[in-house]
Amino acid sequence: MTLLPPTAAQQKRMDKELPSDPEMRKQDVRALREWLSKQPHLPNCMDNDKLERFLYGCKNSIERCKLILERYYSVRTSLPEFFAVRDPLSRDIQDCVDNIDYFVLPSLTEEGYRVTILRMRETDPDKFSLQAICRRVLMVLDIRLMEESCLSNIMVIDLKGCSAAHFAKFSPTHSIVRRAMLAVQDSMPFRLFSVHYLHAPSFITNIINVFYPFLKEKLIEKFHIHNGGGEELHAYMDKDILPNEWGGKAGTFRELNAAWREKIEKNRDWFLREEKLSRIDEKARLPESKPSCLVMELEGIQGSFRKLNID
């Protein structure tokens, strides 16, 4: 699966919203590299291309980038259930790929946004694993960090086949759900433009209300709730970039899901190696370097998850 680069028109729009200065970008990357060299608790194995993508995702803010880098490594150390044993050939990941369609569309929107789709293929609640889904989502995000930069992201979640039994599995009252939220939010330099829920059940408002105390109001405003299917997206983006079943030309659900299975499997060596490298050594942290707030969040001290990286 190839993530197509921006067209000339898309790149022009992206540059208008986030102007590009190649020379300044190089200077900023050097500054980040120098900062990393003075943080003995952090790994310094990230190549310059990936650092550039981090910087771009942080709107070229060096200070914001430092915060996200700290958190990027912190979650890998503190949340092993999502970052340890990330073997694409493991049974849980293979089962997740069989049961859940999760893929990134090849083409960007006209604005330069990347669209990701998640939908169930297997509706048996007993085969629904939040831990496996979260682990797979983070693996896909890591691959994207190796390959591309995009201006922002659109998430499409098709709820067809979801029942109350499924929703019960990811109530924020469950520890695994809160830890999953910590694993995903603010640990990656990706911005979120909007979230579309398709085939929303009648009780979707009740579900959102349960999560409301943990989410920024600005994020809630980006939710789009639809009773219908993929055709609802045509008013928001060029339908040609969508899967065939939704009136597009990107390929079928099965083809797109299979392409991303192959993609993560091709990166198996990287995942197995990265698992050992991307860890924080708290014993080496300098006194003047403040610990990540992640530890306090895990202990429930801050008690809030209002940290989603949104535009």
Side-chain angles (χ1 to χ4, degrees):
M1 169 60 65
T2 300
L3 293 174
L4 299 176
T7 64
Q10 289 168 341
Q11 189 63 60
K12 185 176 180 179
R13 294 189 68 164
M14 292 168 69
D15 290 343
K16 184 177 181 180
E17 183 165 339
L18 190 57
S20 176
D21 184 336
E23 188 55 41
M24 181 62 71
R25 184 71 54 80
K26 290 179 182 179
Q27 292 180 27
D28 290 344
V29 169
R30 284 196 293 268
L32 285 171
R33 180 69 68 199
E34 182 179 357
W35 173 78
L36 281 169
S37 70
K38 297 177 181 178
Q39 308 299 316
H41 66 292
L42 294 179
N44 197 359
C45 55
M46 191 176 292
D47 63 39
N48 286 350
D49 288 341
K50 193 170 180 179
L51 276 177
E52 277 198 35
R53 296 186 188 102
F54 257 85
L55 192 59
Y56 186 83
C58 295
K59 291 187 174 181
N60 296 330
S61 167
I62 292 180
E63 293 308 310
R64 173 67 177 167
C65 195
K66 290 177 182 178
L67 291 173
I68 300 300
L69 282 167
E70 175 85 32
R71 194 173 181 100
Y72 175 84
Y73 291 119
S74 292
V75 294
R76 282 158 167 72
T77 307
S78 302
L79 299 170
E81 62 265 46
F82 304 118
F83 294 98
V85 196
R86 290 206 298 173
D87 186 346
L89 300 181
S90 64
R91 186 70 268 157
D92 65 333
I93 295 298
Q94 290 290 311
D95 287 345
C96 183
V97 177
D98 290 336
N99 297 331
I100 303 288
D101 284 332
Y102 178 74
F103 50 81
V104 187
L105 294 178
S107 298
L108 295 163
T109 67
E110 293 180 0
E111 298 84 0
Y113 303 157
R114 187 66 74 183
V115 181
T116 301
I117 294 171
L118 187 150
R119 61 187 293 275
M120 288 197 306
R121 296 172 64 184
E122 170 58 65
T123 59
D124 183 351
D126 291 336
K127 296 183 179 181
F128 181 86
S129 169
L130 177 64
Q131 183 171 331
I133 292 172
C134 185
R135 185 178 295 174
R136 183 175 162 206
V137 166
L138 290 161
M139 292 170 75
V140 169
L141 290 176
D142 267 325
I143 289 175
R144 290 182 58 192
L145 267 180
M146 292 188 277
E147 296 188 359
E148 67 147 359
S149 298
C150 69
L151 199 56
S152 195
N153 290 270
I154 296 173
M155 186 72 203
V156 180
I157 302 175
D158 189 349
L159 298 174
K160 187 176 183 179
C162 282
S163 64
H166 289 96
F167 287 110
K169 285 196 169 187
F170 55 89
S171 166
T173 58
H174 298 325
S175 173
I176 186 67
V177 175
R178 293 194 174 202
R179 292 171 72 85
M181 292 170 72
L182 282 174
V184 174
Q185 64 190 9
D186 257 9
S187 67
M188 291 283 188
F190 291 106
R191 288 179 284 140
L192 183 63
F193 179 73
S194 61
V195 182
H196 292 265
Y197 295 95
L198 306 180
H199 295 113
S202 58
F203 53 84
I204 187 65
T205 302
N206 294 334
I207 299 298
I208 292 176
N209 286 340
V210 171
F211 277 89
Y212 188 84
F214 304 99
L215 301 173
K216 283 183 177 180
E217 186 174 347
K218 189 176 179 181
L219 174 66
I220 304 284
E221 294 171 356
K222 293 177 181 292
F223 288 175
H224 300 271
I225 311 298
H226 308 286
N227 298 123
E231 70 279 357
E232 303 271 12
L233 301 173
H234 297 179
Y236 298 89
M237 63 191 75
D238 179 2
K239 70 176 184 178
D240 285 351
I241 74 171
L242 295 171
N244 297 2
E245 292 89 340
W246 290 349
K249 301 177 180 178
T252 65
F253 292 140
R254 187 171 295 275
E255 290 169 343
L256 292 163
N257 195 58
W260 274 91
R261 180 203 294 264
E262 181 180 357
K263 198 174 187 70
I264 64 173
E265 289 178 1
K266 282 186 176 179
N267 285 277
R268 181 172 184 255
D269 289 345
W270 182 86
F271 283 116
L272 298 180
R273 183 175 64 253
E274 187 267 350
E275 181 183 327
K276 301 175 182 177
L277 295 176
S278 297
R279 296 289 183 272
I280 280 183
D281 181 2
E282 288 293 347
K283 294 180 180 179
R285 186 187 292 272
L286 298 175
E288 61 269 22
S289 177
K290 294 182 180 180
S292 168
C293 62
L294 177 69
V295 175
M296 291 186 290
E297 290 173 358
L298 283 171
E299 294 175 350
I301 294 176
Q302 292 185 340
S304 173
F305 292 81
R306 296 173 177 268
K307 292 181 176 295
L308 281 173
N309 190 18
I310 56 179
D311 293 341

